[in-house]
Amino acid sequence: MQLKQGIHLAYCTNIHRGETWAQTFDTLKQYALGVRDQVSSGKPYAIGLRLGDQTSRELSDPQTLLEFRRWLDRENCYVFTINGFPYGRFHGGRVKEHVYEPDWTTVERVEYTKRLFDLLVEIAPPEVGGSVSTVPCSFKPFIKNESQIASMRRNLWLAVEHIAALCEKTGRDLHLGLEPEPLCFLETSDETVDFINSLREEHPNDPRLPQRLGVNYDACHLAVEYESPQDAIGNFLRNNIRISKLHFSSALKVRPTLEARAALRHFVEPVYFHQVIARKADGSIERFIDLDIALDATSEPPLPAEEWRVHFHVPLHCQPGAPFETTSDHIQGVLDILAAQPSLCSHIEMETYTWEVLPGDLKKRNVVHQLVAEYRWTLAQVASRGLV
């Protein structure tokens, strides 16, 4: 849906299963329209589309694409953004490190991303522009040498050239957002700035870079890194890095007492990584690749850190209860900045993709009701800042 100042809000459909176009289209008809009927009040309804590689190939069929465009018109819906992070399966089995494959060292990632922009040009209204979010280059353990880093820069530039050519041809404002994430090649604002500046050194004074490549700012991810929105967003803006899209998502935070660590066992599950960043009393940081690893490494007293932040997306409107808190204050900080500077970013997605693996107490309603509750929470927050 469109808010004030040309800002568009949607939930990301990566919460639903859909590894073929038929499955994806079914979820849109069943769930997205179910949410629309409760939140949009007859106004055009925005969809944040998730398309994996196979799905994007199937939707590229001209007749399939035409049918989808007609459906969007008939249902008073529009697409303004695509989640291009997960290339393959994203639900129903082990994802973990595979979500970063293929990474930006590969031609497969380049061609997939180009295809997503080709589709976006066909389905997004011209006036909303179009954004695609993508992996933070790679997963840190995958990168072994400088030649891989050079390949990532080279391949991202190929994508930038393709996006810029589409913009030149269509007059649209299209942009790709790298999504920093804990323990990935790009996990902090500093690492992201350094990498994009290295691209600038290879393509000096080329306006296509700041226009077409930016950051998909996931509030959960930056909060888990203990970055404040003022510092992280300020870092990007000082370095002329575009905020391509905002992901509204909350992480778990907890004082890791023995009792709290026992309670965290309910969040251990086999599908996704739940990276843990531990901050000690002296401010030093310790990183764990997954929650079970952090728990196994700290199974005995004493207290292993002052605070843990866990990359586990929890519903925006929910408080998980003692001993847990969430990082929703980070979203509040982002919204304060957006209210003061509405031109910061016009694309917002709510992205709680963990519905299927949430512990029971956080999953007391069906997925449509959860998404409606997230909309109501978010709309109340933006309304309190004059953006609705």
Side-chain angles (χ1 to χ4, degrees):
M1 62 182 64
Q2 186 166 351
L3 310 178
K4 287 185 178 179
Q5 306 289 341
I7 296 170
H8 298 269
L9 171 69
Y11 82 87
C12 184
T13 60
N14 68 349
I15 194 173
H16 309 303
R17 294 194 182 202
E19 308 310 330
T20 67
W21 173 245
Q23 293 169 344
T24 299
F25 200 17
D26 283 345
T27 66
L28 295 180
K29 289 182 282 190
Q30 180 177 358
Y31 300 119
L33 294 187
V35 176
R36 176 206 63 181
D37 292 344
Q38 297 188 53
V39 302
S40 73
S41 302
K43 298 176 182 177
Y45 179 69
I47 294 174
L49 194 59
R50 184 256 157 162
L51 298 175
D53 179 65
Q54 179 182 342
T55 312
S56 69
R57 292 175 186 274
E58 293 170 355
L59 182 56
S60 296
D61 171 73
Q63 185 59 38
T64 304
L65 186 58
L66 177 61
E67 291 172 358
F68 182 47
R69 291 174 62 181
R70 287 173 173 170
W71 179 84
L72 288 169
D73 290 341
R74 187 167 63 249
E75 298 294 345
N76 198 23
C77 295
Y78 67 98
V79 174
F80 68 91
T81 189
I82 296 176
N83 188 323
F85 195 128
Y87 180 96
R89 185 177 67 177
F90 194 56
H91 292 287
R94 190 180 193 278
V95 176
K96 295 197 184 279
E97 72 275 12
H98 300 302
V99 76
Y100 313 113
E101 299 171 332
D103 63 14
W104 276 100
T105 65
T106 68
V107 69
E108 288 86 357
R109 177 61 67 171
V110 179
E111 295 306 313
Y112 163 60
T113 304
K114 288 180 179 179
R115 191 181 315 118
L116 295 182
F117 277 101
D118 292 343
L119 288 167
L120 199 51
V121 164
E122 296 294 330
I123 59 179
E127 66 275 11
V128 307
S131 57
V132 173
S133 48
T134 190
V135 292
C137 290
S138 187
F139 186 44
K140 269 195 170 80
F142 292 168
I143 303 304
K144 308 296 184 184
N145 54 62
E146 179 59 38
S147 66
Q148 291 174 290
I149 300 172
S151 293
M152 292 191 290
R153 292 196 300 266
R154 182 169 58 251
N155 287 333
L156 275 162
W157 186 250
L158 291 174
V160 167
E161 289 183 318
H162 182 81
I163 298 163
L166 284 175
C167 294
E168 181 70 22
K169 179 180 178 181
T170 66
R172 298 177 187 234
D173 180 22
L174 307 171
H175 36 99
L176 177 66
L178 294 162
E179 184 177 332
E181 179 176 314
L183 277 83
C184 288
F185 182 75
L186 306 179
E187 62 174 308
T188 66
S189 64
D190 281 343
E191 287 180 346
T192 307
V193 165
D194 288 347
F195 179 78
I196 292 180
N197 280 341
S198 71
L199 269 170
R200 284 203 179 103
E201 292 172 2
E202 294 178 341
H203 306 278
N205 302 315
D206 194 319
R208 294 175 294 178
L209 181 57
Q211 290 169 352
R212 306 303 159 209
L213 181 67
V215 169
N216 181 56
Y217 188 106
D218 189 296
C220 166
H221 297 172
L222 275 301
V224 168
E225 294 288 340
Y226 297 90
E227 295 200 49
S228 74
Q230 293 78 15
D231 288 344
I233 291 174
N235 198 4
F236 293 134
L237 295 185
R238 283 192 303 275
N239 286 277
N240 192 29
I241 294 173
R242 181 174 191 168
I243 308 298
S244 172
K245 182 166 59 174
L246 296 170
H247 265 177
F248 284 1
S249 54
S250 283
L252 285 173
K253 66 178 179 180
V254 65
R255 181 172 170 80
T257 64
L258 202 57
E259 294 77 16
R261 280 175 276 159
L264 273 169
R265 287 284 177 187
H266 295 291
F267 290 87
V268 173
E269 53 84 21
V271 179
Y272 306 111
F273 270 148
H274 300 295
Q275 301 95 318
V276 177
I277 312 293
R279 185 168 66 180
K280 299 180 181 180
D282 62 3
S284 62
I285 295 293
E286 185 174 9
R287 290 172 163 83
F288 298 92
I289 198 170
D290 211 346
L291 178 56
D292 59 335
I293 294 171
L295 292 171
D296 290 345
T298 59
S299 58
E300 302 294 334
L303 190 73
E306 287 293 304
E307 184 175 314
W308 279 10
R309 297 194 178 185
V310 184
H311 176 216
F312 196 120
H313 289 212
V314 292
L316 302 179
H317 58 286
C318 287
Q319 287 299 323
F324 305 114
E325 298 179 72
T326 74
T327 60
S328 64
D329 59 321
H330 193 103
I331 302 173
Q332 305 273 1
V334 171
L335 279 165
D336 289 341
I337 296 170
L338 185 64
Q341 189 177 347
S343 62
L344 173 74
C345 181
S346 61
H347 291 181
I348 303 175
E349 274 187 314
M350 300 170 289
E351 203 230 2
T352 308
Y353 63 83
T354 49
W355 169 254
E356 289 193 7
V357 299
L358 285 172
D361 287 348
L362 291 174
K363 196 177 177 182
K364 291 180 178 178
R365 58 184 81 192
N366 66 43
V367 68
V368 169
H369 291 160
Q370 172 183 294
L371 289 165
V372 169
E374 289 203 301
Y375 265 103
R376 289 175 176 159
W377 183 90
T378 303
L379 289 171
Q381 297 300 320
V382 295
S384 71
R385 293 166 173 85
L387 293 173
V388 175

